[in-house]
Every structure is written in C-alpha cells, then in structure tokens.
C-alpha cells in the first residue's frame, strides 16, 4: 500500500513516526495492537459522534446484517434515513444517497453544471471537498486566479474550470463574479472550514456568497460533510441561517459506515437520473448496513434534545483548558470551536484563511503531537485537521487530556 495506508494522512509521515495499528475501539477510547490505549479525538475523522461501537448501533447492525448486506433494490431503510435527514435539514427537499463525501460533492457539481448549463465553479483555497479531479485545485493566495491542478493527473482542461480564491475574502468573490459571473455554475464552500485546521467564516462571508450567487444565477453548495450534525444539529446552515441550493453531507450521516448524501432544491434535484438527465448511480448506494448505522446515530442525536448543547459544553471545557495551559507557558495558540469540532494553531495571529494556517509553527505542533501521543492522547497528525469530541468522552477523559496538554505545552515553550 502506498505509504502503508489506504488514505494518506493516516501514515503519520507529517510527524515522522509510525502510526499505531488499531485493534479495536470502544466509546471514547481506541486501542492498538501493541496494547496501548488512547483517548481518541480523531473519531475516524468525524463520523463517530456517539463514540465507537455504540451498543445501539452495533446491535442494529448485527440484526440487519443477518438479513443480507445489499440488495441493489429499494428498501424502507433508505426512506427512513432520508426522512430523518430532511427533517433536520429543511433546505433538502429531495435527497440522493451515495457512498462517500467525494461522491456527494462530485455529483453536486455535475448537477449544478447540468442545471445551470454553465461550466465554471468557484472554490476556496484550503477547503477540501474530496478528491474528484475538478476539486483538487487550488490557486495559491492573493487575487483570483484560474486554477492550476494541485495533483499530477488532473488535466489543465479540468483545472481551468475551477476558480480558487482565499477563504473569507469577500472582495475576491465579488471580483470573480464581476469578471465572469455569467459563466459560474456554482460556488462550493465548507461553511465552517475544517480541512485547513478549523477556520470559521467571518461575519458576512456566507451571506455574501448567498447574495451574489442569487444575483448571478449560480448555485450555492454547502459542503457540510464534516460540519453537518456537528457545529449544530442542522449544520452551518442552521447556525448562520443561510439556505444553500444544494447541501453535501457525509461522515456522521453514515455513523461510521460508508454513506454520504447530496440534496437540496426540488427543481434542481429532479434533474438527477432517472427523473432528469444528469447521470449518477451506485451499486452499494443506500445499502442496508450504512442506512442502519446512519439511522441509529442520527436517532441518538435527535432523541436527546440536549445532545448538541452537552457535547458543545464539553468541547468548550476542553478548549478553555487547552488555552489556559498554553498561556501558562506563554505559548501562543489560536483556538477555535464550532459545536463538537475544535482545534488550534500555533500562531500569534488570528487564522482566517489557508495562508494564515500555513504560517503556523509546524515544529511546535510536532512536539505537541508527539508528547500527547506518548501520554495516550490520539490526535490527528497535522495542525490542518480538526479534532472531534464524542458524546462518549467523559469528564475524566477531558481532565486527563488537559493535564497531558500541560506537559506537552511545556515542551513547546520558547
Ligand atoms: C471528508 C470530507 C469530504 C470527503 O469525504 P470522503 O467520504 O472522505 O470522500 C468532503 N468534504 C468535506 C468538507 C470533508 O470533510
């Protein structure tokens, strides 16, 4: 396997060590094959909001697996998950299930192009929308530039239709639309950016995107694959009260099994095959196992009206603890939180976009990461990743994490 892994960031190459090989996980804890136990803030990169191997999810999966794992035919489970999601996301009038966030965003873009009959899309530098060709493009910083591929194998032809501009840069958005607004099919954005580390939208940024896309007849696509169900139950669109035309969901929606979805305005979504001519399909899409894990996970979130408040408060306590321990040793960090997502940069300036994030101190991060891992705290091996709290994390877990952070920040002091 390239790098010994099936997805690059798992390799720990960024922090010059070998990753633990995992044997099992339960609740907030993850265990490796060498007998080490860790408090897990990766949560399979987002999905495990109710903790690992939640008994209710496991039981439902066992029952459904015994009835066959895939039929390639419609089931009531698909309708059930669809209804749950559409109740939480009123902007989703019609929904299609897929198997990964990559598929959701790729399909949403194809749909946006098919619907508007336009070819260009606007994305933001540092936002990750999966690895489809047209989205593996960034354009560096500064003024709006037409995309150059950021991976070999993405053709110039594909890249030229992607315009990448800095996150939170309202002026750059206005400039792009003034230049070629009539050619733009869609703006796709992580409304809370979690793939350059956690970066929140500045006041007015998302509203500008909504207003300008309406003005020019382009679609607004919220990629809530990570922040959906997490920053708030109804995602960033609920938190900031902005209605996108299309929404992409992933991670939590599948409760740890491969599932994602895209959906939105009915007139747009009816262009998808077989109602319309925009093609998109999947052998395992909507399979009973993924639907079941999603249904049970979302049900747990919904049944406790206080779920989001409680997990958010828990996250705040940890973030405040980290900030105070960093301050003890005069280590400058920029901490952010959105519901149960959190993270910080080793930086003395606020981080509002990719360039700010890239300027953060990498050596300090490596020191911090290694010290935390040695003390049994499992974090993503990069400052450009978001950390995740689960409902299974205990007060004791959080206290232990804050104490470990004290020891780690001490090593980061100048
Ligand atoms: C994880 C992620 C994706 C890609 O999802 P996969 O299931 O890994 O393909 C897309 N968009 C965002 C915002 C993500 O965080």
């Amino acid at each position: 396997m390239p790098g010994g892994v099936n997805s690059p960031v798992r390799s720990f190459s960024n922090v010059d060590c070998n990753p633990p090989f995992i044997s099992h996980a339960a609740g907030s804890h993850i265990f490796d094959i060498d007998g080490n136990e860790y408090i897990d803030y990766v949560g399979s990169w987002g999905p495990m909001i109710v903790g690992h191997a939640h008994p209710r999810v496991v039981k439902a999966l066992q029952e459904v697996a015994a009835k066959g794992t895939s039929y390639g035919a419609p089931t009531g489970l698909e309708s059930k998950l669809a209804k749950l999601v559409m109740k939480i996301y009123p902007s989703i009038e019609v929904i299609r299930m897929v198997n990964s966030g990559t598929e959701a965003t790729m399909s949403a873009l194809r749909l946006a192009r098919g619907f508007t009959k336009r070819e260009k899309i606007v994305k933001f530098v540092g936002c990750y929308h999966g690895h489809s060709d047209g989205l593996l493009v960034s354009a560096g910083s500064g003024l709006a530039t037409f995309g150059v591929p950021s991976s070999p194998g993405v053709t110039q032809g594909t890249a030229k239709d992607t315009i990448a501009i800095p996150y939170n840069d309202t002026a750059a958005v206005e400039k792009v639309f003034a230049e070629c607004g009539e050619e733009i099919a869609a703006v796709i954005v992580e409304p809370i950016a979690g793939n350059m580390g956690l970066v929140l939208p500045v006041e007015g940024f998302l509203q500008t995107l909504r207003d300008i896309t309406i003005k020019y007849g382009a679609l607004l696509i919220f990629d809530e694959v990570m922040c959906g169900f997490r920053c708030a139950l109804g995602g960033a669109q609920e938190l900031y009260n902005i209605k996108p035309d299309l929404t992409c969901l992933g991670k939590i929606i599948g409760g740890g099994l491969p599932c994602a979805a895209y959906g939105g305005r009915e007139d747009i979504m009816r262009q998808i095959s077989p109602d319309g001519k925009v093609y998109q399909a999947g052998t395992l899409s909507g399979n009973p196992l993924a639907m079941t894990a999603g249904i049970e996970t979302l049900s747990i979130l919904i049944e406790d009206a206080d779920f989001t408040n409680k997990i958010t408060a828990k996250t705040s306590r940890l973030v405040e603890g980290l900030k105070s321990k960093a301050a003890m040793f005069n280590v400058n960090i920029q901490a952010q939180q959105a519901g149960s997502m959190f993270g910080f940069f080793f930086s003395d300036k606020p981080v509002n976009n990719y360039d700010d994030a890239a300027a953060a101190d990498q050596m300090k991060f490596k020191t911090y990461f290694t010290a935390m891992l040695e003390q049994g705290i499992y974090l993503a091996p990069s400052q450009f990743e978001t950390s995740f709290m689960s409902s299974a994390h205990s007060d004791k877990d959080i206290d232990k994490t804050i104490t470990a952070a004290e020891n780690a920040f001490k090593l980061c002091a100048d």
Side-chain angles (χ1 to χ4, degrees):
M1 287 178 259
V5 291
N6 282 312
S7 196
V9 76
R10 295 179 198 169
S11 76
F12 280 34
S13 55
N14 186 44
V15 285
D16 298 330
C17 61
N18 287 316
F21 272 56
I22 305 306
S23 61
H24 64 289
S28 59
H29 288 225
I30 190 162
F31 302 80
D32 72 18
I33 56 172
D34 301 311
N36 299 305
E37 177 174 356
Y38 307 89
I39 302 171
D40 177 23
Y41 292 101
V42 178
S44 187
W45 306 90
M48 312 316 298
I49 192 167
V50 300
H52 293 282
H54 190 290
R56 174 166 166 186
V57 179
V58 171
K59 181 165 177 280
L61 283 173
Q62 283 167 337
E63 282 167 11
V64 85
K67 298 183 200 167
T69 54
S70 184
Y71 320 119
T75 65
L77 293 170
E78 294 166 279
S79 310
K80 194 165 171 191
L81 183 58
K83 279 187 187 144
L84 278 175
V85 173
M86 290 160 74
K87 205 165 151 213
I88 302 171
Y89 287 84
S91 74
I92 301 182
E93 296 165 356
V94 176
I95 191 168
R96 171 62 66 82
M97 302 291 174
V98 292
N99 301 297
S100 69
T102 296
E103 268 186 77
T105 56
M106 177 183 79
S107 308
L109 282 189
R110 182 183 305 137
L111 173 59
R113 286 173 164 144
F115 181 79
T116 59
K117 303 188 170 59
R118 299 174 178 182
E119 306 214 331
K120 293 194 192 309
I121 58 143
V122 173
K123 79 174 285 281
F124 297 92
V125 179
C127 283
Y128 178 66
H129 303 292
H131 61 86
S132 69
D133 281 5
L135 287 165
L136 275 186
V137 170
S138 92
S141 58
L143 293 175
T145 329
F146 286 92
V148 290
S150 56
S151 165
V154 175
T155 65
Q156 297 289 343
T158 300
K160 80 173 179 15
D161 288 326
T162 304
I163 304 166
I165 54 180
Y167 194 72
N168 275 329
D169 190 338
T170 304
V173 174
E174 282 161 355
K175 184 165 181 286
V176 162
F177 272 90
E179 277 168 9
C180 60
E182 272 84 28
E183 296 168 60
I184 295 170
V187 173
I188 185 166
V189 66
E190 282 184 76
I192 289 175
N195 285 291
M196 49 178 141
L198 182 57
V199 177
L200 304 185
V202 297
E203 170 103 43
F205 175 60
L206 297 174
Q207 190 63 52
T208 299
L209 300 184
R210 181 63 287 186
D211 294 344
I212 207 158
T213 45
I214 289 175
K215 181 171 164 199
Y216 284 89
L219 303 185
L220 178 60
I221 305 173
F222 271 11
D223 178 354
E224 301 222 36
V225 168
M226 183 188 291
C227 65
F229 308 103
R230 238 190 215 286
C231 64
L233 181 61
Q237 50 198 271
E238 177 186 287
L239 199 58
Y240 296 102
N241 192 26
I242 290 179
K243 190 174 172 189
D245 300 299
L246 295 173
T247 298
C248 300
L249 295 169
K251 300 194 166 105
I252 288 172
I253 196 180
L257 268 81
C259 173
Y262 64 102
R265 261 169 54 190
E266 172 151 18
D267 59 327
I268 304 170
M269 286 299 293
R270 293 288 178 209
Q271 303 303 311
I272 293 289
S273 185
D275 281 345
K277 291 188 173 145
V278 177
Y279 194 72
Q280 186 272 310
T283 300
L284 295 174
S285 293
N287 75 82
L289 284 178
M291 296 300 100
T292 297
I295 290 165
E296 295 304 323
T297 299
L298 295 191
S299 298
I300 294 167
L301 301 196
I302 294 165
E303 284 167 16
D304 178 359
D306 243 9
F307 185 97
T308 303
N309 287 340
K310 284 192 293 202
I311 195 171
T312 300
K314 212 188 287 188
T315 310
S316 301
R317 187 164 88 78
L318 176 55
V319 170
E320 288 311 312
L322 296 176
K323 284 204 288 210
S324 76
K325 296 303 181 190
M328 266 173 75
F329 303 103
N330 293 318
V331 175
N332 284 320
I333 63 166
Q334 301 295 321
Q336 300 273 34
Q337 179 190 355
S340 54
M341 307 163 71
F342 66 100
F344 66 81
F345 297 93
F346 284 97
S347 172
D348 43 21
K349 294 193 305 278
V351 175
N352 287 320
N353 58 42
Y354 181 78
D355 281 354
D356 296 343
D361 192 320
Q362 296 306 314
M363 288 313 294
K364 281 188 181 161
F365 173 78
K366 216 163 100 175
T367 304
Y368 176 82
F369 171 85
T370 309
M372 292 299 270
L373 190 68
E374 281 166 0
Q375 296 175 88
I377 313 294
Y378 188 78
L379 303 169
S382 161
Q383 235 176 144
F384 304 117
E385 304 290 348
T386 296
S387 297
F388 304 103
M389 186 70 74
S390 84
S391 54
H393 284 79
S394 65
D395 283 342
K396 204 174 129 210
D397 287 334
I398 292 169
D399 290 338
K400 197 177 163 207
T401 308
I402 294 171
T403 305
E406 179 176 341
N407 299 327
F409 283 128
K410 193 187 289 176
L411 303 174
C412 299
D414 291 314

